[in-house]
Amino acid sequence: MLYNPLCTITLATCIALLITGRATAQDTEKPVEPGFVSNEPDYAKNPISIYKACDPNEILRSDISNFNENITVWLSYIKNLQQSVEQGQASSAGISYAGVGLSYEDAKSFASYIVQNENYNLATSESVSILRTTLSPDSVAAYIACLKANDPLTIVAPDTAIGEIEFPLTVRWAPGFEVPGSTLKVTLINGTIEGKKVFEKKVDPPEEISLTILRNGKGDKRLFITAEVNGKVSDTFTYPAIPMFKVDMQRSFSPPRDKLPYSICRSGHCGTDKVVKDLCIYASGGGTLLPSTQGFEVSQIVGDPNRAKWYQKKGNSSGVSCAVVENSAGASEHYNFIAGWATVMQAVTVPIDEDALPKFVKDSYRRIPIGASR
């Protein structure tokens, strides 16, 4: 039972704390495959406080910017950020995907769209494994040292493992005392080492054992990895299926960008009364709009900016987003003019048909993080 943030805890607990700032029994998810025994700890039901010096969100945010084009990592980040925000433990500022800044509400809606549109949902244990993999070694080491954690048996994988069929894995066995003649046993579900679901090797601590993991098929099933030495079982690595889709970020316009801009002229000749126009953009092609990115690309503006202006319409959604353009003239001798295009970003999932690709393209494609621009 964990009763103090400076007590000895496992690496999985540290990472769970790093992501959410607390861990509960409800947060821990067990593998559903029969015959697989997990040694994930029975977390205390009461929240575990973290000293301010060990700010988990600061550590996570400094690293996650390097992976904001990898949809699997991004979904893991949003899932855990949402838990922290709802518990009042994190700020929702500074979210982006593929270089596009997003509001917290847009990020949640975008993540929900992927879950619904692609049936691609991550368990908490998968999010922990993914974020633990993609955090820099220095950040993980610093946080563990801050909490004075100590786990003699750990699994370490590179960030490329997230989207690879075949990837390297390191098992670290350092109990701090001599244990001659020990046997390392690595058990996998939906993957193999040297063609074996259960791989065994004699080890003498301290030792780092380098292995090569091969996922079954196209990697379209969840992968579970656990290591055991002398009854000591490592934290379980749980990887989601490799997504068979990528996300395209598209900018939409109203009017279409290849058409003349919408314009309002107000003067003695054009008329002085206020004109208000909603320029709306609707989600298309099975995509979802990101209304916090709603803007207005101005081609020309003349006169009083307090009269010739635009702003986001209240109530914009993932289905329809509008910019409001308005203009007026205070007197017949005044001339105010505004012209441009309403614009908003749209996210669209695009299937990846690997069967239709030549082998060399498949191989190069797998070496690119899923969701990254190509």
Side-chain angles (χ1 to χ4, degrees):
M1 177 176 179
L2 301 178
Y3 60 93
N4 187 295
L6 296 183
C7 66
T8 299
I9 56 179
T10 65
L11 181 58
T13 311
C14 282
I15 302 302
L17 291 171
L18 187 152
I19 296 166
T20 65
R22 67 173 67 184
T24 66
Q26 291 84 352
D27 291 334
T28 307
E29 299 183 22
K30 308 295 182 184
V32 295
E33 279 75 356
F36 187 81
V37 178
S38 170
N39 195 46
E40 295 184 45
D42 182 14
Y43 296 134
K45 294 184 178 180
N46 295 324
I48 301 171
S49 63
I50 303 298
Y51 287 125
K52 190 173 183 179
C54 305
D55 187 339
N57 294 293
E58 287 299 322
I59 294 174
L60 181 56
R61 286 180 185 280
S62 66
D63 287 349
I64 203 69
S65 61
N66 296 326
F67 298 93
N68 72 356
E69 290 190 354
N70 185 306
I71 193 61
T72 307
V73 178
W74 189 84
L75 288 172
S76 300
Y77 175 51
I78 297 303
K79 180 182 182 70
N80 289 283
L81 176 63
Q82 186 174 350
Q83 293 174 354
S84 295
V85 170
E86 290 174 352
Q87 294 166 357
Q89 297 173 334
S91 167
S92 60
I95 303 173
S96 65
Y97 179 76
V100 178
L102 302 174
S103 69
Y104 177 57
E105 291 302 319
D106 272 4
K108 289 197 302 180
S109 176
F110 180 19
S112 178
Y113 159 76
I114 292 175
V115 170
Q116 296 174 10
N117 204 53
E118 297 294 335
N119 192 29
Y120 193 76
N121 194 15
L122 302 179
T124 300
S125 57
E126 292 170 327
S127 295
V128 170
S129 294
I130 291 166
L131 293 175
R132 168 178 163 179
T133 297
T134 53
L135 284 172
S136 72
D138 288 344
S139 290
V140 174
Y143 195 74
I144 293 172
C146 186
L147 295 176
K148 295 186 178 178
N150 179 28
D151 191 351
L153 182 61
T154 57
I155 297 175
V156 181
D159 56 66
T160 53
I162 297 169
E164 295 283 345
I165 298 294
E166 187 176 11
F167 61 88
L169 187 83
T170 300
V171 179
R172 294 174 178 169
W173 170 233
F177 50 87
E178 292 187 9
V179 189
S182 300
T183 300
L184 166 69
K185 183 170 72 172
V186 181
T187 304
L188 304 94
I189 291 180
N190 298 321
T192 58
I193 298 173
E194 298 180 4
K196 302 173 183 177
K197 295 180 181 179
V198 179
F199 176 85
E200 296 187 355
K201 180 180 180 179
K202 295 292 184 180
V203 293
D204 292 315
E207 188 170 352
E208 290 192 359
I209 303 93
S210 297
L211 304 169
T212 299
I213 305 298
L214 180 64
R215 300 185 71 151
N216 292 354
K218 295 181 178 180
D220 55 354
K221 294 183 179 180
R222 285 174 171 163
L223 174 66
F224 298 90
I225 308 171
T226 191
E228 179 181 355
V229 177
N230 297 341
K232 170 63 181 178
V233 183
S234 71
D235 305 311
T236 302
F237 249 62
T238 311
Y239 275 162
I242 297 176
M244 291 293 103
F245 64 91
K246 63 176 181 176
V247 177
D248 282 349
M249 301 294 277
Q250 305 170 352
R251 184 170 292 280
S252 299
F253 294 88
S254 179
R257 191 59 181 81
D258 58 351
K259 304 297 182 182
L260 291 174
Y262 176 78
S263 62
I264 305 177
C265 169
R266 296 284 85 188
S267 64
H269 176 72
C270 299
T272 60
D273 293 343
K274 179 189 286 188
V275 175
V276 181
K277 174 68 174 179
D278 290 354
L279 293 180
C280 296
I281 299 170
Y282 296 85
S284 60
T288 183
L289 299 180
L290 306 169
S292 64
T293 66
Q294 178 69 61
F296 184 75
E297 184 179 318
V298 176
S299 65
Q300 187 178 7
I301 187 166
V302 179
D304 186 351
N306 292 319
R307 291 181 178 273
K309 61 184 179 180
W310 76 273
Y311 48 89
Q312 290 186 1
K313 184 175 182 179
K314 292 182 179 180
N316 283 343
S317 69
S318 59
V320 57
S321 186
C322 309
V324 181
V325 184
E326 67 174 55
N327 198 2
S328 63
S332 59
E333 63 271 21
H334 295 167
Y335 176 75
N336 297 320
F337 181 82
I338 184 171
W341 298 264
T343 178
V344 70
M345 295 300 297
Q346 177 177 243
V348 181
T349 56
V350 180
I352 299 171
D353 184 6
E354 286 199 302
D355 290 335
L357 298 175
K359 183 179 185 302
F360 77 92
V361 177
K362 293 183 191 179
D363 293 342
S364 64
Y365 195 99
R366 290 193 184 114
R367 287 193 285 271
I368 302 174
I370 297 298
S373 56
R374 293 166 169 77

